[in-house]
Amino acid sequence: MSAPSVLVVGSVNVDLVAAVASLPRPGETVIGPGVGSHGGGKGANAAVAAARLGASVALIGAVGDDDFGSRALSDLRAESVDVEAVAVLADVPTGAALIVVDAAGENQIAVGAGANHALEPGAVAAAMADRLAGCGCVVISAEVSDACVATAVRVARDAGVPCVLNPAPARAGLLGAIDAGPILTPNDGEASLLGGAAALARRAGAPVVVTRGAQGAAIVGPGGEVAPIPAPAVDAVDTTGAGDSLTGALAARLAAGDALEPAARYAVIAAALSVTAAGARGGMPTVVQVARAAPNVARACGPAPGRST
C-alpha cells in the first residue's frame, strides 16, 4: 500500500449539537431550537483537516457496527480519508459527543467513548507498521486509551517519524507518552492541567504549540522561549473542532517539510477559518481558502503534501 503523508491514530465520533443562547450552569436546563448531527472525534476531525489541506491521510481507529459508525466511515471516505484501518466492532457503540454551543460560538462537550476505548494497542501497532514507511507525520488524539496513545507515540518515535500529540482530554495517564518526545498541541487549560506549557516542553524535549482561541497560539520551546502567533479576527459561529483543525493543519504542513514556526502560523489561520461555520468540520478550510485568507502565510510554506487540492 502507498504510505500516507499524514497518519492519524485516534477517535471517531458522531457529534450531537444543540445551539442555545447561553451555556447551562450546573443543574440548569436550557432550550434551543433543535439538535444537529455531525461527524466528529478529535482523530477523525484532524484527519479531515489535513486532507482538506492536501495531505494524503490514513486513519487508525474504531467504530461500532451501527448506523453512526457506517455514517462516520462514509463521511470520512467522502473527505478522501483512508479508513481501511478503522475497525468496525460488534456489540460496542460508536463514540458520541454531546455538544452545547452558545450564541458566541463557545461550547461545552461531554463524550461517550464507545468503540474508541475498545481500540487495542496491538492493533494500533500493527496498523502503523504497515503504513509508516515514507509517512511524513503521525498525529495522535487522546480520546483513545492511554495504552493506545503511548503505543502510537513509541512506534512513531522508533520509526523516526515526526509525531504530534493532542493531549485532550488532559490527564495524568498521558505523561508517559509525553516523555517520548512528541510535539504537543494543548489548549491553555489542558497545558495547565498537565503542569504548564514550559514544563511540558522540558519534559518532552520538544516544542509545545499552545492554542489560545481568538488570541491564536504560542510555541513554547524546551528552553522556555515563547513565540506568539496571532490569529486573524473572524466572526465565530462554532468553536467546536478548532483545536483539531490546528492539529491536522500543523501535521499537514510538517509532512510537507515546513519548519515548525511557519507550519504553526499556517495552522492558526486554518483553525481561525474553521470556526466560521457550524459543526467541528463545517468551516475546515481547503488550501485555496487558506491562501485567499492569508496569502503571505501560505506563500511562506511549500506546496501541499501528497496530493493537490
Side-chain angles (χ1 to χ4, degrees), residues 204-306:
V208 175
V209 181
V210 184
T211 62
R212 292 178 169 166
Q215 283 69 53
I219 302 173
V220 180
E225 62 276 17
V226 178
I229 301 176
V234 297
D235 293 325
V237 173
D238 184 353
T239 59
T240 309
D244 306 333
S245 300
L246 183 142
T247 297
L250 181 71
R253 294 313 320 164
L254 292 175
D258 290 350
L260 181 62
E261 185 165 346
R265 291 187 182 280
Y266 190 100
V268 165
I269 300 298
L273 295 175
S274 77
V275 307
T276 60
R281 302 176 193 166
M284 286 181 175
T286 65
V287 172
V288 171
Q289 289 169 322
V290 174
R292 185 181 301 128
N296 292 337
V297 172
R299 279 196 295 270
C301 296

Side-chain angles (χ1 to χ4, degrees), residues 16 19 31 62-63 91 104 112 144 147 157 211 246 269 276 289 291 293:
L16 302 176
I31 298 175
V63 297
D91 302 320
V144 294
R157 179 199 62 194
T211 62
L246 183 142
I269 300 298
T276 60
Q289 289 169 322

Side-chain angles (χ1 to χ4, degrees), residues 59-265:
L59 174 64
I60 299 170
V63 297
D65 187 11
D66 52 27
D67 288 344
F68 281 156
S70 296
R71 175 182 165 185
L73 294 181
S74 178
D75 288 348
L76 288 165
R77 291 187 189 101
E79 296 282 358
S80 300
V81 175
D82 178 351
V83 294
E84 181 183 350
V86 177
V88 179
L89 305 179
D91 302 320
V92 181
T94 299
L98 310 178
I99 302 172
V100 181
V101 181
D102 72 10
E106 294 298 327
N107 62 64
Q108 292 176 341
I109 305 174
V111 177
N116 296 308
H117 270 209
L119 184 64
E120 295 286 345
V124 169
M128 290 182 71
D130 288 340
R131 292 164 175 81
L132 276 178
C135 178
C137 188
V138 171
V139 174
I140 303 161
S141 87
E143 287 181 330
V144 294
S145 70
D146 292 346
C148 285
V149 172
T151 295
V153 173
R154 174 184 55 78
V155 172
R157 179 199 62 194
D158 291 350
V161 178
C163 178
V164 176
L165 169 60
N166 179 224
R171 55 192 186 270
L174 298 176
L175 293 175
I178 290 168
D179 287 339
I183 297 170
L184 301 172
T185 58
N187 63 28
D188 267 326
E190 291 153 358
S192 178
L193 286 170
L194 291 169
L200 285 172
R202 287 194 301 271
R203 182 165 191 150
V208 175
V209 181
V210 184
T211 62
R212 292 178 169 166
Q215 283 69 53
I219 302 173
V220 180
E225 62 276 17
V226 178
I229 301 176
V234 297
D235 293 325
V237 173
D238 184 353
T239 59
T240 309
D244 306 333
S245 300
L246 183 142
T247 297
L250 181 71
R253 294 313 320 164
L254 292 175
D258 290 350
L260 181 62
E261 185 165 346
R265 291 187 182 280

